[in-house]
Amino acid sequence: MNISVTETREDTTACILCSRNCGLSVEVDATGFKKIRGDDAHPMSQGYICQKAARLEYYQNNADRLSQPLKRKEDGTFEEISWDQAINEIAVKMTAIRDTHGGEAFATCGGGGQGNHLGGGYLGQLRAAMKSYFNYNSLGQEKTGDFWLNGRLFGSQTCHITEDVEHSDFVIFLGCNPFQAHGIPNARHTLKEISKDPARTMVVIDPRRTETAKMADIHLQLKPGTDAYLLSAILAIIVNEGLQAKEFLAEHCTGFASVERYLKSVPVAEFIRRADVNPDDVYAVARGLATAKSGCVRADLGIQHSIRTTLNGYFEKLLYLVTGQFGKCGANNLHTTIVPILTDTDERNPKYRRSVYHKMFAVSGILPPNILADEILLAGEKCIRSIFVDSCNPINTWADSDRMTEAFKSLELLVVTDVALTETARLAHYVLPAASQFEKWEFTGFNLEFPVNGFHLRHPLFPAHGNTLPEPEIYTRILEAMGKIPKDFPVMKAIAKKEPKGTFHLGFLISLAAKLMTDKKLQPFAASILYRTLGSTLPNKGAAAAIMLPLSIVTSMRYHDGVKRAGYKGNRFTSGVRLFRAILRERSGLVYIRQNYEDVWSLVANKDQKIHLRIPEMLDEALALLREPVDHDKPFTLIAGERRAYNANQIFRDPQWRKIDKTGAMRIHPEDAQELGLVAGDQVTCDSGYANIRVDIMIDDTMRRRVVALPHGYAITYDNGEEVGPALNRLMPSTHCDPFSRTPSHKYTPVSLAKA
């Protein structure tokens, strides 16, 4: 891509700041973004964006951008080195660690940040080369309890729920604030449409009167940590009043009798008292969801980062399953995906590998970050000795920052691939500079819609910064240096280059299959082989997108009718190739599948295509609620990781991007502030009993008494300066987590406050 510094042109791309990845129409020159607005042609977001997308220039150009591979010297400083030196030295050291200590000694962290997913399809090959099964990423501290439940209910952890909020008559937002966190299509427009329609009902369950709660018909402002009690009470009311969807449960579910026995034993009034909400509102929510023509539940980190996170998720799913609000317009549904970011792993299989120290099982192929420091420091001779970090900043964004730092400093080899010199990168032995998300081909893995689902392959907007490379090139070079794949595939390259368009890449795919069958050691590295062969023939240096050919064909094979409805005609093979070609061509993204609502049952993976409601582990934990003593009030409960107008994931490193809330102040109720002798702008020391941090405060009557909140995304040492904002993860010991999934309990952290 050759454009002059002064030439301005229009193009399209997508936002990279949350899972929605809204389409953007941009004006750029060679130096960066000049204008950013919503892309009307994007089939999913249709011109919608929030205020954060307009600030993406702060990501593209900032003082922490990397431009050359770095190697740590003995004095702790870095020296610039060539790519050849970096790749060769890393390959030699990785091979030595594997051959001496085995696959247990290696792990990967990350594998794609928000909207930065294409490289993750190549990173997994390094684990294969190292004979390792250990993959840690942020989904493992957010969503794996949810994935595990999906596996038990629907038959596979790759079955994932979406919410048809925009067509629903009765919506429950549970532990989420879509006005700020998004997570639903065109969030603010959708919320406005629901709130102004008298025939529709919006319910928010949240300890704070959030922006979304202010728009709601009913706000259940419960005590933090009481979600399981409140959800049990709602479900018990439904069953006690005979409002469960009897026909739906009989036709589509098994195991309801076990669930019903528990719900019949729930002391409804007592559980409502524990949650400290209005009983009349609880009954209204139960009856409203059960009798609505269409209802759905949208849940997020508010219950997934709290205590009893897995049990919370179980009850959340029972809300829409017991009421039959599933598999129809305006309800909860399963969905397809064109990019398989999850796998299916079952801890009940005795052959499945577990972590060395904690004996923890991976969910969807992901291990929880909360165990990582122990697996490095406490696992003895079989400890993790080498880690490859991709687009991830564990030191700042994973719990127990100080201990994580200690663990990472003890590694024999730490390699970080990233756009910026992050806090984690500063500890690395080697830092490999990646091209930014707007300097390379990229796609979004979070395609979560049903029945119409979209996909967006983003073309590069800018030349690569300095001597940076895209992740597929970096990982392919490492595999070549390790001797895992040849450096050239002349026969396949020639076939891919000369093959006529009308053959639908058939000759190339036959040659690739023959190569992988005759040399099975190459099979784990098919992504890089595609990259080096078919990729060399793709336009605009689009080699990284070569993996989309088999993924498109597999999608067509599995969901042929839906792919044809989206406009890709032909048999299962040729329609897949046509989809691939459209993905390469359409710069604003496309719809890749159109399904019918009844198709949701074909996505249920259980052999009987029924939902298995009885999960013994969850029912045992639910019964324990009946025996649990009342949890006495703490001095304060911290809700950590709140999403606000000007915080985002940590790819925004320059603090100047924030127009407001530059220090990430703590929200505190006016009466609590008065008791502590605080006024707005004062500082307090927030002490979790494990560590303490100093934070500014803001007075905010949207909070419950004795509850405070802090945002995520701060404590970045930008341009080697001082940290700005709360270093939340210093407060959280790795033991403060769900005992089952090891998900950190960020939304329920007892703290004490003292004026600083």
Side-chain angles (χ1 to χ4, degrees):
M1 181 175 54
N2 297 311
I3 60 175
S4 71
V5 172
T6 57
E7 179 188 356
T8 299
R9 62 187 181 87
E10 294 185 357
D11 211 328
T12 57
T13 185
C15 183
I16 56 177
L17 297 175
C18 84
S19 63
R20 295 307 308 172
N21 297 113
C22 297
L24 303 179
S25 177
V26 298
E27 291 184 17
V28 300
D29 63 21
T31 65
F33 291 101
K34 301 306 171 187
K35 290 184 180 179
I36 299 174
R37 56 190 182 275
D39 179 9
D40 294 333
H42 193 276
M44 306 311 287
S45 59
Q46 299 175 330
Y48 176 88
I49 61 169
C50 76
Q51 77 283 354
K52 296 180 185 181
R55 315 288 281 173
L56 281 166
E57 174 64 15
Y58 285 91
Y59 160 77
Q60 176 61 24
N61 289 300
N62 67 80
D64 282 350
R65 281 293 308 269
L66 293 163
S67 58
Q68 184 74 20
L70 303 176
K71 179 181 179 180
R72 177 175 294 281
K73 298 191 293 186
E74 288 187 5
D75 64 1
T77 61
F78 287 108
E79 62 176 330
E80 293 186 351
I81 59 175
S82 69
W83 275 108
D84 285 345
Q85 180 183 349
I87 296 294
N88 290 330
E89 290 183 8
I90 290 168
V92 168
K93 292 181 179 183
M94 287 173 64
T95 301
I97 288 172
R98 180 199 64 202
D99 293 348
T100 304
H101 301 288
E104 292 91 349
F106 180 78
T108 57
C109 292
Q114 297 282 16
N116 190 47
H117 293 135
L118 203 158
Y122 294 82
L123 175 67
Q125 298 176 118
L126 297 188
R127 291 192 299 276
M130 293 293 286
K131 301 180 180 179
S132 170
Y133 296 84
F134 300 151
N135 174 35
Y136 297 82
N137 65 39
S138 291
L139 288 175
Q141 67 169 359
E142 297 176 349
K143 301 291 185 181
T144 46
D146 185 78
F147 300 157
W148 180 85
L149 289 166
N150 290 337
R152 291 295 180 88
L153 290 167
F154 304 108
S156 172
Q157 291 165 10
T158 63
C159 293
H160 187 262
I161 293 295
T162 188
E163 313 87 13
D164 198 7
V165 171
E166 59 269 41
H167 300 119
S168 185
D169 298 322
F170 194 98
V171 183
I172 297 178
F173 293 116
L174 175 55
C176 61
N177 179 17
F179 188 90
Q180 296 293 16
H182 304 282
I184 63 173
N186 300 1
R188 295 179 183 178
H189 292 173
T190 300
L191 293 173
K192 183 178 179 180
E193 288 298 315
I194 298 172
S195 68
K196 72 180 184 181
D197 188 341
R200 305 171 76 183
T201 301
M202 185 194 308
V203 177
V204 171
I205 302 177
D206 197 293
R208 178 179 164 250
R209 193 171 75 256
T210 63
E211 292 84 352
T212 305
K214 292 174 183 177
M215 305 173 74
D217 299 283
I218 301 174
H219 176 207
L220 298 176
Q221 194 171 5
L222 76 172
K223 287 176 60 176
T226 63
D227 309 271
Y229 295 107
L230 178 58
L231 299 180
S232 286
I234 294 172
L235 287 162
I237 292 167
I238 292 168
V239 169
N240 290 341
E241 297 190 357
L243 297 175
Q244 66 268 31
K246 298 179 181 66
E247 292 184 7
F248 174 90
L249 292 167
E251 182 179 357
H252 293 298
C253 301
T254 67
F256 176 67
S258 298
V259 174
E260 186 177 33
R261 278 194 297 273
Y262 163 70
L263 295 176
K264 289 284 190 180
S265 70
V266 167
V268 173
E270 169 60 21
F271 276 22
I272 293 174
R273 276 195 296 271
R274 291 195 182 204
D276 192 26
V277 292
N278 185 327
D280 291 341
D281 287 341
V282 178
Y283 276 85
V285 170
R287 293 164 181 161
L289 179 64
T291 59
K293 181 181 178 181
S294 63
C296 70
V297 182
R298 164 69 185 173
D300 208 340
L301 298 183
I303 65 163
Q304 294 164 350
H305 265 177
S306 190
I307 58 173
R308 307 182 194 91
T309 176
T310 314
L311 183 62
N312 293 341
Y314 183 49
F315 289 149
E316 166 235 326
K317 295 173 191 300
L318 289 178
L319 282 177
Y320 53 79
L321 295 173
V322 168
T323 56
Q325 302 289 7
F326 182 83
K328 63 182 183 180
C329 182
N332 289 82
N333 295 283
L334 298 174
H335 64 87
T336 60
T337 182
I338 194 170
V339 178
I341 63 173
L342 302 177
T343 59
D344 188 38
T345 51
D346 190 342
E347 82 283 0
R348 293 171 293 186
N349 183 347
K351 295 182 179 180
Y352 190 75
R353 293 201 180 195
R354 292 174 176 252
S355 69
V356 172
Y357 182 77
H358 280 281
K359 308 300 180 187
M360 182 68 192
F361 57 90
V363 179
S364 297
I366 303 164
L367 285 164
N370 261 13
I371 70 169
L372 179 56
D374 288 347
E375 299 293 337
I376 298 170
L377 297 171
L378 302 179
E381 285 300 310
K382 292 191 174 182
C383 68
I384 294 173
R385 300 168 184 269
S386 174
I387 287 180
F388 215 109
V389 177
D390 175 294
S391 301
C392 183
N393 189 12
I395 297 304
N396 254 20
T397 62
W398 293 355
D400 213 342
S401 297
D402 291 340
R403 194 153 189 274
M404 197 71 75
T405 300
E406 176 191 359
F408 273 47
K409 284 182 176 179
S410 75
L411 292 168
E412 295 177 23
L413 177 65
L414 173 60
V415 182
V416 172
T417 301
D418 212 311
V419 173
L421 190 63
T422 65
E423 288 69 25
T424 304
R426 290 178 183 131
L427 302 179
H429 299 98
Y430 295 88
V431 183
L432 304 180
S436 85
Q437 294 190 38
F438 301 111
E439 297 165 359
K440 63 193 175 194
W441 289 74
E442 249 315 339
F443 61 51
T444 302
F446 297 132
N447 312 109
L448 312 178
E449 301 305 315
F450 180 88
V452 176
N453 210 345
F455 182 74
H456 190 183
L457 178 70
R458 307 194 303 272
H459 296 234
L461 298 179
F462 307 111
H465 172 75
N467 194 15
T468 61
L469 292 174
E471 292 90 343
E473 178 67 26
I474 296 171
Y475 302 143
T476 299
R477 289 191 188 186
I478 292 175
L479 294 175
E480 291 167 346
M482 293 178 74
K484 305 308 292 185
I485 60 173
K487 292 190 175 182
D488 196 15
F489 296 86
V491 174
M492 277 192 288
K493 265 187 179 179
I495 293 172
K497 187 174 183 179
K498 295 179 181 178
E499 194 164 31
K501 184 177 181 180
T503 64
F504 291 94
H505 305 289
L506 185 59
F508 169 77
L509 290 171
I510 290 172
S511 69
L512 173 65
K515 183 69 173 178
L516 297 179
M517 288 301 296
T518 56
D519 192 348
K520 293 185 178 180
K521 291 182 179 179
L522 292 177
Q523 290 179 6
F525 314 113
S528 282
I529 295 171
L530 276 163
Y531 176 78
R532 282 286 187 248
T533 53
L534 177 65
S536 66
T537 71
L538 298 183
N540 195 17
K541 298 180 180 179
I547 61 173
M548 290 310 304
L549 175 61
L551 292 178
S552 298
I553 294 172
V554 168
T555 298
S556 178
M557 293 286 183
R558 292 183 64 189
Y559 315 113
H560 188 221
D561 289 343
V563 171
K564 284 202 302 181
R565 285 190 208 106
Y568 311 101
K569 304 300 183 183
N571 60 35
R572 293 179 185 273
F573 173 75
T574 56
S575 62
V577 177
R578 287 191 172 101
L579 172 59
F580 168 65
R581 290 173 177 170
I583 286 170
L584 290 176
R585 181 179 65 248
E586 298 297 335
R587 298 182 76 95
S588 290
L590 49 74
V591 169
Y592 75 86
I593 192 167
R594 292 184 183 274
Q595 294 177 288
N596 300 315
Y597 279 99
E598 57 266 27
D599 293 339
V600 74
W601 298 107
S602 68
L603 304 178
V604 176
N606 287 316
K607 291 182 180 179
D608 58 6
Q609 286 199 324
K610 291 190 175 185
I611 302 165
H612 296 180
L613 299 180
R614 180 179 177 271
I615 302 179
E617 297 92 332
M618 294 295 96
L619 290 171
D620 288 345
E621 189 174 349
L623 287 168
L625 290 177
L626 304 175
R627 305 184 297 271
E628 197 167 75
V630 174
D631 186 19
H632 295 292
D633 288 339
K634 309 294 190 298
F636 285 92
T637 300
L638 170 64
I639 298 173
E642 182 195 359
R643 299 186 188 182
R644 299 180 181 173
Y646 281 94
N647 68 317
N649 56 65
Q650 289 205 352
I651 63 172
F652 266 3
R653 295 190 60 81
D654 185 348
Q656 294 305 312
W657 85 272
R658 297 186 174 94
K659 287 187 175 181
I660 59 174
D661 198 22
K662 293 183 181 292
T663 65
M666 172 184 281
R667 297 186 193 271
I668 186 171
H669 191 276
E671 293 178 30
D672 292 329
Q674 185 176 19
E675 286 185 5
L676 293 172
L678 300 172
V679 296
D682 280 353
Q683 285 197 328
V684 297
T685 299
C686 178
D687 194 323
S688 66
Y690 181 73
N692 66 76
I693 59 175
R694 182 176 289 193
V695 296
D696 294 345
I697 67 158
M698 69 167 79
I699 312 299
D700 190 339
D701 65 3
T702 67
M703 302 301 299
R704 277 185 64 107
R705 291 293 311 273
R706 302 299 184 206
V707 179
V708 293
L710 284 169
H712 67 84
Y714 287 78
I716 295 170
T717 51
Y718 176 68
D719 197 18
N720 291 314
E722 294 184 359
E723 286 183 354
V724 177
L728 286 181
N729 287 299
R730 290 201 182 121
L731 295 173
M732 316 296 177
S734 60
T735 53
H736 184 54
C737 65
D738 183 76
F740 184 77
S741 67
R742 303 288 177 142
T743 305
S745 301
H746 288 319
K747 308 298 184 184
Y748 184 80
T749 302
V751 295
S752 60
L753 304 179
K755 187 172 182 178

